Amino acid sequence: MDATVRATSPGDTPRSRLLAAALALYSRHGVNGTSLQMIADRLGVTKAAVYHQFRSKDAILLALLEPLVNDMRDVVERAERERTRTAQVESVLTGVIDLAVRHREVSALMQADPAVQALHASQSDSGVLSERIGQLLLGPDPEPGRLISVAMLGSALMMTGKNPKLAAVEDEELRQQMLVAARRLLGLRSRG
């Protein structure tokens, strides 16, 4: 593989290339196993050039998480506006699946890397959004079976999109099949 990351479209910026390089390295080596120097080397720039864009690995990680967190906020707010419990569950479920597909690599990294989980949890907005999603899926007074199903679902959704065996599956097909499986796991009626 080429040791540098080059612009591939007119919209590429040094910042977006840096984020792409960091995500690739974080996915391969973990956040704690990736240094700023490794990111610089992958880009073919100096470490100072990386510092010019971001002051730390945490700052890079927060920038990678930001679009996902913003989308999470939209999913939660949209689901909470629904009038019925069934509509809330359906809205949050389809929204979270869409997030997992749209943000495949970041979602998988967030689920798999303890450093990402810790940073995500430490950001008050992120942790609160995750809790709100959980509450929407669980409902009031959930039984142990529902608790287990929602826990399994959360982990599975975030990791499924990044499964290498599914790399060739188109986003829409992946989204539809994940929704079918999620509804089955939660004991929801399939929509036809």
Side-chain angles (χ1 to χ4, degrees):
M1 180 193 298
D2 185 9
T4 62
V5 176
R6 306 223 188 279
T8 58
S9 71
D12 279 344
T13 65
R15 178 182 168 92
S16 67
R17 288 190 300 278
L18 191 151
L19 290 172
L23 180 58
L25 290 167
Y26 290 168
S27 294
R28 184 171 187 188
H29 303 287
V31 172
N32 290 333
T34 301
S35 67
L36 291 176
Q37 186 62 57
M38 289 169 71
I39 295 169
D41 291 347
R42 182 167 178 113
L43 290 165
V45 300
T46 65
K47 192 172 171 181
V50 173
Y51 273 118
H52 180 72
Q53 295 292 325
F54 296 98
R55 285 294 184 206
S56 67
K57 287 193 304 185
D58 281 355
I60 295 170
L61 191 51
L62 287 172
L64 286 169
L65 291 173
E66 184 178 14
L68 175 63
V69 172
N70 289 339
D71 287 350
M72 282 174 64
R73 185 177 302 102
D74 292 343
V75 165
V76 168
E77 290 171 356
R78 187 171 42 253
E80 288 176 341
R81 285 192 300 268
E82 294 291 343
R83 293 179 183 238
T84 67
R85 171 99 181 93
T86 301
Q88 286 179 337
V89 170
E90 186 65 29
S91 178
V92 78
L93 188 59
T94 57
V96 169
I97 288 171
D98 189 50
L99 291 177
V101 172
R102 189 172 344 124
H103 302 283
R104 286 185 190 206
E105 288 191 60
V106 175
S107 295
L109 183 65
M110 190 160 76
Q111 187 64 32
D113 193 314
V116 180
Q117 292 170 2
L119 185 62
H120 177 68
S122 73
Q123 302 300 309
S124 60
D125 194 34
S126 301
V128 169
L129 289 170
S130 293
E131 278 295 314
R132 287 165 65 189
I133 287 171
Q135 290 305 312
L136 284 161
L137 289 171
L138 289 169
D141 303 317
E143 298 175 4
R146 183 67 169 205
L147 289 167
I148 292 165
S149 294
V150 169
M152 288 175 63
L153 179 65
S155 296
L157 288 179
M158 295 306 181
M159 295 304 290
T160 299
K162 186 62 174 139
N163 185 316
K165 293 178 182 175
L166 302 176
V169 176
E170 294 292 328
D171 285 356
E172 190 53 37
E173 176 70 13
L174 181 61
R175 191 177 285 112
Q176 291 304 316
Q177 293 303 320
M178 288 173 70
L179 191 53
V180 167
R183 286 183 180 130
R184 191 175 306 132
L185 179 63
L186 294 178
L188 302 175
R189 197 176 261 183
S190 187
R191 294 207 163 179

